[in-house]
Amino acid sequence: MTSNILPRHVAIIMDGNGRWAAERGFPRVAGHKAGVETVRAIVKASLDLGLPVLTLYAFSQENWKRPKEEVNVLMELLDFFIHKEIGRLKKEGVRLRTIGRIEALPEKTLAKVKEAVAATRENGRLILNIALNYGARTEILDAVGRLLEEAAADPGRFRPFGARLTEELFSEYLYTRGLPDPDLLIRTSGEMRLSNFLLWQLSYAEIYITKKYWPDFTKGDFKKAIREYQRRERRFGDVKA
Ligand code: FPP
C-alpha cells in the first residue's frame, strides 16, 4: 500500500562523479563540478517537497587518500557552493549543519563552513546536513569517548550503566544529535555498500539504489526514490506496520 508520508530524513551517498567524467573523457574533477549542480537541484527539490532533513555524504575520512589535487578541488567546490548559495539558503529557510571531524578541513574551508552554519542557525524549514571528513566508526568512537569522560567526571551519571544508557541517550552523543534517523538512504551509481556512512542511524532505513551517476541524478529521480519508499511496508521487526 502506498502512503503519502514523507521521510523525515533522507540521506544520500553521492557516488559516480568520477565515472561520469571518465565516460565523457573529462578529468574526474569535472564530475565533481557537475555534481555540485545536482546538489543544488536536490536541495531545491527537498524544499519544494517539504522534506525536513537532508544529509549529503560530501567527503569521507577515506577521501583524503585521493590525489591531493582532487582533494583540493573538492574543498574549493564546497567553498564555492557556500559562497554562491549562502544568500539563497538563508532566504529559503535552510539551516546548514555538518557531521564529521570538520576541524581537519583546510583553514579557509573550515572558516566558510562555520560562518555558514552560524548564519543559518535560526532557520528551520530544511536542515541541510553535510558530512565532511565523516566516518561512522569514528563517530561512534567519539560518542563513546565523550560518554566515558562524562562517566569519569561524574561516576553516578550512567550507573547502572545498562539501565541508564539507552539508545535515545546514546544518540545524543552522535554528531547527528537532535536529528531523526534517516528513513531513506539513496545511493547513486549502483554500488551496494554503506561505505562507513551513518552506521548507527541507518539501522531501520529503507535503502534505494539507482544505477545513475550522481551528476545525472535529477529531481525526478529523487521523487521516484521517495515514491518507492512510500510504497514499501516498513515493519521494524514486527509482522505488520
Ligand atoms: C563520489 O564520486 C563523490 C564524492 C566523493 C564527492 C561528492 C562531492 C560533491 C558532489 C561536491 C561538493 C559537495 C557539496 C555538498 C557542495 P566518486 O568520485 O567516488 O565517483 P567514482 O566512484 O565514479 O570514482
Side-chain angles (χ1 to χ4, degrees):
M1 223 191 71
T2 306
S3 86
N4 54 8
I5 300 171
L6 276 177
R8 284 159 304 171
H9 181 173
V10 177
I12 308 185
I13 302 180
M14 310 181 285
D15 198 9
N17 293 350
R19 276 163 287 166
W20 181 91
E23 281 185 9
R24 286 160 181 76
F26 298 155
R28 292 178 54 80
V29 293
H32 297 316
K33 279 187 193 145
V36 175
E37 295 311 313
T38 307
V39 169
R40 225 175 247 139
I42 299 308
V43 170
K44 185 165 184 310
S46 302
L47 283 166
D48 293 346
L49 288 167
L51 196 78
V53 187
L54 174 70
T55 295
L56 301 176
Y57 204 1
F59 196 84
S60 73
Q61 280 184 322
E62 290 76 23
N63 286 153
W64 295 110
K65 292 184 214 146
R66 295 186 175 203
K68 197 164 179 280
E69 204 187 294
E70 184 174 339
V71 171
N72 288 343
V73 169
L74 282 169
M75 295 300 155
E76 277 164 22
L77 285 175
L78 185 66
D79 288 0
F80 172 76
F81 174 79
I82 292 175
H83 177 76
K84 271 208 75 182
E85 296 297 311
I86 186 68
R88 202 183 331 224
L89 296 178
K90 267 205 256 182
K91 203 172 90 211
E92 298 283 356
V94 178
R95 177 175 182 181
L96 195 74
R97 268 184 70 157
T98 62
I99 51 172
R101 287 187 172 176
I102 62 164
E103 316 73 44
L105 297 181
E107 216 174 300
K108 185 170 147 246
T109 308
L110 180 61
K112 278 250 171 65
V113 168
K114 281 188 172 168
E115 202 185 306
V117 168
T120 58
R121 175 150 280 144
E122 302 301 324
N123 284 346
R125 195 169 150 209
L126 166 71
I127 294 176
L128 173 60
N129 189 33
I130 305 192
L132 294 167
N133 189 24
Y134 177 83
R137 288 185 174 181
T138 298
E139 175 181 31
I140 292 169
L141 289 178
D142 281 350
V144 172
R146 278 186 48 222
L147 268 166
L148 289 175
E149 268 171 31
E150 287 186 19
D154 175 7
R157 180 147 161 64
F158 300 108
R159 196 172 292 148
F161 212 80
R164 288 204 203 157
L165 186 57
T166 59
E167 292 182 10
E168 288 72 25
L169 179 63
F170 187 73
S171 295
E172 289 305 306
Y173 285 78
L174 296 169
Y175 305 148
T176 47
R177 66 191 134 269
L179 300 179
D181 286 342
D183 291 311
L184 172 64
L185 170 73
I186 299 174
R187 181 164 190 155
T188 58
S189 96
E191 305 293 345
M192 307 229 185
R193 289 190 285 274
L194 285 181
S195 299
N196 202 18
F197 190 45
L198 300 173
L199 295 182
W200 171 279
Q201 298 89 335
L202 289 173
S203 291
Y204 291 101
E206 293 294 324
I207 301 177
Y208 180 89
I209 295 181
T210 168
K211 285 219 159 77
K212 281 206 176 181
Y213 296 142
W214 179 247
D216 289 329
F217 189 75
T218 63
K219 182 175 173 169
D221 295 322
F222 189 52
K223 284 189 178 161
K224 196 169 139 197
I226 291 173
R227 273 200 305 277
E228 163 76 28
Y229 162 83
Q230 289 170 333
R231 270 196 296 270
R232 293 191 195 171
E233 189 191 355
R234 302 182 80 199
R235 289 197 293 267
F236 302 100
D238 203 341
V239 283
K240 226 171 157 199

